[in-house]
């Protein structure tokens, strides 16, 4: 029995540490697998956040390109209008070459003559209608409302803008 006991003790002394190492190794690998899973999950979350940030950066870049394109198109349109006006002015100057001074003066005053003519016609019609309405007993507020309605205001604004509108930009 002593030999059995001594064999059992020697087995336990030699095999027990190996058995304990087996369980310790199994727990260590289980812990390492859990850590690896957590690290993979964290990397996936970071990548997702990174992709979302990259997507937002691309969206901002696209908006910026769109704004630059719109600004460039507007700039091209303005440059085309400036070139057109320059060509019109050059053509207008070339028409005046070799003509007499009174023709040049007449051409220079055309806008003023037309503007003053329409303005005087508007005043004539309004004064005539006022006198007619006043002589027929129409009340002043009703006359004022009829003579200075939105259509007359628009006509007056058009006349003033026609004469004075382009001059501010030409200087």
């Amino acid at each position: 029995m002593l030999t059995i006991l001594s064999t059992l003790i020697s087995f336990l002394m030699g095999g027990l540490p190996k058995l304990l190492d087996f369980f310790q190794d199994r727990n260590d690998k289980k812990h390492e697998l859990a850590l690896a899973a957590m690290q993979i999950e964290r990397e996936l979350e970071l990548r997702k956040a990174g992709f979302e940030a990259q997507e937002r950066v691309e969206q901002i870049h696209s908006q910026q390109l769109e704004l630059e394109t719109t600004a460039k198109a507007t700039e091209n349109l303005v440059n085309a209008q400036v070139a057109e006006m320059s060509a019109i002015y050059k053509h207008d100057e070339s028409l005046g070459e070799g003509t007499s001074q009174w023709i040049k003066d007449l051409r220079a005053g055309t806008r003023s003559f037309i503007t003053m003519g329409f303005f005087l016609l508007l005043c004539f019609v309004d004064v005539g209608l006022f006198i007619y309405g006043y002589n027929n007993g129409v009340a002043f507020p009703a006359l004022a409302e009829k003579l200075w309605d939105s259509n007359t205001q628009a006509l007056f604004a058009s006349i003033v803008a026609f004469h004075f509108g382009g001059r501010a930009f030409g200087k």
Side-chain angles (χ1 to χ4, degrees):
M1 172 113 173
L2 195 55
T3 44
I4 295 179
L5 196 56
S6 86
T7 340
L8 186 61
I9 290 178
S10 71
F11 174 73
L12 286 176
M13 294 302 263
L16 187 61
K18 288 184 181 183
L19 185 63
L20 291 174
D21 283 344
F22 170 75
F23 285 114
Q24 181 66 32
D25 188 45
R26 193 171 116 193
N27 283 338
D28 286 345
K29 288 182 180 178
K30 188 178 184 183
H31 181 68
E32 286 176 10
L33 284 173
L35 284 176
M38 286 174 43
Q39 185 176 8
I40 289 171
E41 184 178 326
R42 182 172 174 248
E43 286 180 12
L44 287 175
E45 287 176 9
L46 288 175
R47 283 186 182 170
K48 181 181 176 186
F51 285 139
E52 288 173 358
Q54 182 66 28
E55 182 180 332
R56 180 69 181 137
V57 167
E58 291 297 324
Q59 185 180 22
I60 290 171
H61 184 65
S62 297
Q63 289 173 349
Q64 183 181 9
L65 286 176
E66 185 178 322
L67 287 173
E68 288 175 1
T69 303
T70 305
K72 190 65 173 173
T74 304
E75 181 182 350
N76 288 341
L77 179 63
V78 168
N79 288 339
Q81 289 173 346
V82 167
E84 181 183 16
M85 288 304 296
S86 178
I88 288 171
Y89 288 146
K90 283 182 183 178
H91 178 263
D92 202 32
E93 288 174 11
S94 70
L95 289 177
E97 293 176 5
T99 60
S100 65
Q101 186 61 38
W102 74 272
I103 293 291
K104 290 179 184 176
D105 293 340
L106 182 65
R107 287 186 66 229
T110 301
R111 180 180 289 199
S112 299
F113 297 148
I114 292 172
T115 303
M116 290 305 289
F118 275 114
F119 182 72
L120 291 174
L121 179 64
L122 176 66
C123 289
F124 177 74
V125 169
D126 280 352
V127 167
L129 288 174
F130 180 78
I131 292 170
Y132 177 78
Y134 185 74
N135 289 335
N136 288 324
V138 178
F140 181 78
L143 275 175
E145 195 173 306
K146 290 289 184 184
L147 293 176
W148 193 249
D149 62 347
S150 61
N151 291 333
T152 306
Q153 292 173 8
L155 180 63
F156 185 75
S158 299
I159 291 170
V160 171
F162 174 74
H163 186 68
F164 296 109
R167 294 180 182 220
F169 298 111
K171 292 183 180 183

